[in-house]
Amino acid sequence: MPDIIQLLPDNIANQIAAGEVIQRPASAVKELLENAVDAGATEINLIVNDAGKALIQVIDNGKGMSETDARMAFERHATSKIKNIEDLFKIKTMGFRGEALASIAAVAQVELKSKREEDETGVFIEIENSQVIKQEPIAMQTGTSIAMKNLFFNVPARRNFLKSNAAELRHIVDEFIRVAMSFPEIFFSFSSNGQQVFHLEKGSMKQRIVQILGNSYAAKLVPVQEQTDYMNIYGFVGKPETAKKTRGDQYFFVNNRFIKSAYLNHAVMNAFNEMIAKDSFPMYTLFIDLDPAQLDINVHPTKQEIKFEDEKIVYAFVQSAIKHALAQFSISPTLDFELDASIQSLDAVSKPFTDDKKSSASSSSLYNTFTKKHQSHFIESKSELKHWKDFYEPKEKLTDGRGSSAGSGGLAEGQSDPIQQLHTNNEQRPTTDNLLQLHNSFIVVQTNRGYYLVHQQNAHERILYERFALAVEGKPIATQQSLFPATIELNAADAVLLKELLPDMNHLGYQLEPFGNNTFVIQGTPADVSQGNEKIAIEKMLEQYKHFSSDLKYSKREKLLRSLALQQSVKVGTSLTDKEMKVLIEDLFNCAIPNSTANGKPTYLEFKKDELDKLFGR
Ligand code: ADP
Ligand code: MG
């Protein structure tokens, strides 16, 4: 037998390695922007075509590269930013792995132009499949331009994996914002298919935040600033009244690197405590600076998680810094107590952050909301209901086994197709007279065999879901015109998202018109959305939509339907009149699948009379 092991050709090895760094156009955008920042640029322009699939170009006025460096830059592990392992612990630059340009050169056609201040001419290099195919001197200004064309042209499997232009563009906008936000002293512009998306003049941090997140924050930002030997925090939080029903405007940066941290987010939410409604989210843009040695930087280049040497200190610090800031600006009159003393006595400051507290924090429902994956799809474990089993009609019977496997606590798979699931329970028509509401949450419905205990919110969710599903397919839901059309101003990422959803929203009774600058005019809403609540309804819908959006198995439309149904359903705790209950129950049992929500939660439980008789020894 011949030997079988071979070395992979360089270009294939590079392509494989590139997969880790460049997953989608947005990852390339992030790397190129960060390189421009590292090069000391004061002006950075981003140009994309076809959501980066056709072209991503970053032009900067940074320090440029020599001819040799320009060629070297595309080699794997070629970097000017670290020289030895100790350097890893004092990193001040955004990049340091020397992988980005090599990865980009492996999966796109690249044109680089670069010139240093001290050089007469610049250098132009063209690369394809990691090979330099052309090099010549050119006349240009100091700085660098890197254009990458036809991303993944040589890796069709990856190219096919890319999402719609709207979705990829949204990722790009997110990455752009994350870089632009942390460097207000740098001018940034961003255009997509020849249209300008952002034009961010140099300015203060506050100006940058308002430029990016919208004017509605202009007079509503509270500065946060605390310094210690160990770490600094600075930035802004939105006044409580700016809290939105959607979680978009929240940014944490550690040493200028955008990070996601449910833990630190919890610290901020805690600081806002009673000042905002339970289901709303305060705006924040916070920068934490600390000694790089206190961080585990050995995390994956594309990961946004970060590890602190001492998480508890960071948590307590963030929380008390925000409380302090809010108190100083007397945001809430009820908070206007003996300021400094109260801060000193805050648990977070005065007591060590014990593991006990941490675990109670992390088991709180708030924390869970942020950490549970796809939480809207979670099925409650039904184990505690086991003893009901005999007289509670198991759901599986109705959902032909495709629905939630009760008790598994896992994700509900493929519940989206109402037509195929037949309502097998028809012989059991419920009577809609004498309905009884319990705890403003449940409705007792008598049937000839026993009774149903209906969960009002889940039931309504099912009804709305089917109504909406019909509306997008056929007859649109009637719109009630707004007398005084309100406008809604979104951040750029949400604006892109909403634009994507407009045609379907239209069928669902929302008449929205783009009004430039990420603003929309609400011309009309479905009749059952009360006037004055349009904005909140739309914000909540977006928030809900984003919950679903990491879920690949649902279409855009399906996610929209589910979001709207969830968001518009009558909530538990709402007292219903006899008439409302009657309509709800009738509507429910006219549904194609009355027994569960689209997300797989049961809408009612059945209690059979003969089983009840048995329990009473009859
Ligand atoms: P890293 O940023 O981790 O060093 P990259 O592959 O992103 O690795 O870049 C390799 C090197 O190319 C950088 O270390 C830097 O010296 C040089 N470089 C990349 N982009 C630019 C730029 N826009 N201006 C000047 N030099 C650059
Ligand atoms: Mg880099």
Side-chain angles (χ1 to χ4, degrees):
M1 289 289 271
D3 297 330
I4 51 173
I5 298 182
Q6 299 177 7
L7 276 178
L8 285 175
D10 271 358
N11 63 331
I12 298 196
N14 280 341
Q15 275 180 17
I16 294 172
E20 302 213 340
V21 186
I22 309 297
Q23 283 147 351
R24 53 171 14 125
S27 5
V29 165
K30 169 176 185 281
E31 295 295 339
L32 294 178
L33 291 175
E34 290 187 350
N35 277 347
V37 169
D38 285 345
T42 57
E43 279 180 27
I44 301 175
N45 299 286
L46 167 67
I47 298 166
V48 304
N49 283 340
D50 271 357
K53 295 172 186 171
L55 172 77
I56 297 171
Q57 182 170 20
V58 171
I59 307 166
D60 69 55
N61 66 349
K63 66 177 184 233
M65 284 178 260
S66 72
E67 193 186 318
T68 322
D69 281 351
R71 283 186 75 121
M72 265 299 278
F74 292 96
E75 297 290 330
R76 188 152 299 277
H77 309 303
T79 179
S80 54
K81 298 169 193 173
I82 55 171
K83 296 200 168 56
N84 53 46
I85 194 74
E86 282 77 49
D87 288 350
L88 262 187
F89 299 98
K90 39 184 191 237
I91 291 202
K92 291 271 154 61
T93 51
M94 304 293 284
F96 57 90
R97 296 171 168 264
E99 287 178 322
L101 290 187
S103 301
I104 287 170
V107 292
Q109 297 151 339
V110 178
E111 289 176 18
L112 166 98
K113 297 176 200 162
S114 193
K115 186 183 103 54
R116 297 184 301 178
E117 181 80 63
E118 63 263 44
D119 296 332
E120 280 282 285
T121 52
V123 55
F124 172 84
I125 294 180
E126 215 178 305
I127 297 184
E128 197 169 303
N129 283 319
S130 303
Q131 304 290 320
V132 174
I133 54 174
K134 190 169 170 189
Q135 176 173 348
E136 57 191 33
I138 61 161
M140 64 178 287
Q141 308 226 306
T142 299
T144 303
S145 153
I146 299 185
M148 43 181 292
K149 297 181 178 165
N150 305 318
L151 179 61
F152 300 136
F153 76 104
N154 51 359
V155 206
R158 281 213 159 248
R159 197 170 171 91
N160 295 338
F161 188 72
L162 294 178
K163 303 231 194 95
S164 68
N165 279 5
E168 294 297 346
L169 189 60
R170 198 151 25 95
H171 287 291
I172 293 179
V173 170
D174 284 343
E175 292 294 355
F176 175 85
I177 288 177
R178 290 164 188 176
V179 178
M181 193 85 105
S182 20
F183 299 98
E185 68 281 8
I186 301 178
F187 166 90
F188 283 92
S189 80
F190 171 14
S191 57
S192 157
N193 291 337
Q195 275 202 319
Q196 188 150 77
V197 186
F198 285 99
H199 179 96
L200 306 174
E201 295 293 351
K202 295 174 209 180
S204 65
M205 172 61 60
K206 195 171 179 174
Q207 286 165 330
R208 181 59 50 97
I209 292 173
V210 171
Q211 280 175 322
I212 293 177
L213 299 181
N215 260 325
S216 54
Y217 288 115
K220 312 251 153 134
L221 295 176
V222 178
V224 176
Q225 170 108 48
E226 302 287 340
Q227 293 186 339
T228 64
D229 290 343
Y230 182 75
M231 61 188 282
N232 301 332
I233 185 170
Y234 61 94
F236 290 90
V237 295
K239 291 190 179 171
E241 71 257 32
T242 63
K244 290 187 177 170
K245 299 291 173 197
T246 164
R247 193 177 301 157
D249 300 338
Q250 302 188 327
Y251 298 87
F252 255 118
F253 300 86
V254 172
N255 293 353
N256 276 334
R257 216 179 282 273
F258 172 81
I259 60 143
K260 280 188 180 151
S261 166
Y263 187 68
L264 292 188
N265 179 65
H266 187 262
V268 181
M269 296 298 280
N270 237 334
F272 270 88
N273 199 9
E274 311 271 272
M275 284 183 247
I276 52 174
K278 257 215 183 91
D279 53 350
S280 42
F281 304 91
M283 172 271 162
Y284 61 79
T285 300
L286 294 169
F287 295 82
I288 293 174
D289 283 347
L290 76 177
D291 182 352
Q294 296 295 330
L295 296 171
D296 178 6
I297 28 195
N298 232 349
V299 283
H300 191 273
T302 61
K303 290 258 168 70
Q304 293 154 342
E305 287 88 40
I306 200 160
K307 276 199 154 144
F308 297 101
E309 188 71 13
D310 194 337
E311 273 202 318
K312 296 168 212 161
I313 294 186
V314 181
Y315 184 102
F317 184 74
V318 169
Q319 191 192 38
S320 58
I322 310 294
K323 284 202 174 182
H324 191 190
L326 291 172
Q328 277 212 323
F329 278 73
S330 321
I331 292 317
S332 150
T334 53
L335 240 204
D336 226 357
F337 44 75
E338 334 79 87
L339 295 176
D340 277 353
S342 75
I343 296 296
Q344 289 312 318
S345 65
L346 282 173
D347 282 359
V349 176
S350 61
K351 291 186 197 150
F353 197 69
T354 58
D355 275 349
D356 241 23
K357 272 199 211 162
K358 189 166 131 198
S359 73
S360 84
S362 60
S363 64
S364 78
S365 62
L366 182 63
Y367 183 83
N368 284 330
T369 316
F370 291 107
T371 49
K372 256 191 194 173
K373 221 174 169 188
H374 314 303
Q375 53 120 17
S376 338
H377 293 265
F378 263 78
I379 307 281
E380 299 278 310
S381 158
K382 296 209 183 63
S383 51
E384 69 274 22
L385 282 176
K386 285 263 160 61
H387 55 285
W388 293 127
K389 223 168 141 197
D390 294 340
F391 63 119
Y392 147 63
E393 184 107 33
K395 243 172 61 159
E396 278 78 356
K397 258 193 207 162
L398 301 176
T399 57
D400 66 58
R402 298 185 313 142
S404 60
S405 45
S408 75
L411 297 178
E413 295 283 328
Q415 299 233 342
S416 54
D417 190 357
I419 316 305
Q420 283 182 25
Q421 299 186 344
L422 278 176
H423 180 203
T424 58
N425 230 14
N426 260 341
E427 81 281 3
Q428 272 237 72
R429 292 307 293 188
T431 41
T432 51
D433 305 324
N434 300 323
L435 295 168
L436 170 68
Q437 191 186 28
L438 302 176
H439 300 290
N440 288 339
S441 305
F442 306 101
I443 301 169
V444 182
V445 187
Q446 191 177 327
T447 69
N448 47 4
R449 286 206 329 225
Y451 68 89
Y452 293 148
L453 190 63
V454 176
H455 188 278
Q456 68 187 42
Q457 182 170 352
N458 288 0
H460 197 215
E461 209 179 302
R462 158 57 61 187
I463 296 165
L464 291 176
Y465 173 80
E466 293 198 7
R467 190 175 296 161
F468 295 159
L470 282 178
V472 288
E473 295 298 336
K475 193 168 168 287
I477 288 180
T479 300
Q480 99 192 315
Q481 297 291 329
S482 314
L483 279 183
F484 306 102
T487 57
I488 177 167
E489 189 179 341
L490 301 171
N491 64 40
D494 284 351
V496 171
L497 174 62
L498 187 60
K499 263 189 205 138
E500 195 182 334
L501 299 175
L502 279 188
D504 279 338
M505 300 263 307
N506 224 313
H507 265 89
L508 296 169
Y510 286 90
Q511 208 178 316
L512 299 175
E513 278 166 22
F515 196 57
N517 243 342
N518 305 329
T519 304
F520 295 81
V521 184
I522 308 171
Q523 300 284 13
T525 50
D528 40 6
V529 172
S530 55
Q531 300 270 325
N533 282 337
E534 310 92 332
K535 258 169 91 161
I536 291 175
I538 291 168
E539 283 178 359
K540 277 192 166 169
M541 188 281 296
L542 287 173
E543 174 61 18
Q544 195 57 53
Y545 186 91
K546 284 186 276 183
H547 261 303
F548 289 122
S549 55
S550 50
D551 217 315
L552 294 175
K553 60 180 184 288
Y554 299 121
S555 68
K556 219 167 69 179
R557 174 173 288 176
E558 178 65 25
K559 284 185 263 185
L560 176 66
L561 295 179
R562 288 175 182 222
S563 309
L564 277 177
L566 240 165
Q567 181 260 307
Q568 284 183 19
S569 54
V570 57
K571 302 296 178 285
V572 295
T574 312
S575 150
L576 300 177
T577 63
D578 286 347
K579 186 150 173 256
E580 285 166 338
M581 285 194 275
K582 193 171 150 83
V583 172
L584 185 85
I585 298 306
E586 279 169 358
D587 286 351
L588 177 67
F589 289 97
N590 280 326
C591 280
I593 310 173
N595 63 298
S596 82
T597 67
N599 296 313
K601 290 183 227 132
T603 50
Y604 63 86
L605 303 177
E606 181 183 5
F607 296 83
K608 290 187 190 145
K609 183 167 175 300
D610 40 346
E611 302 289 349
L612 289 168
D613 284 342
K614 267 190 226 156
L615 282 182
F616 287 105
R618 293 278 154 186

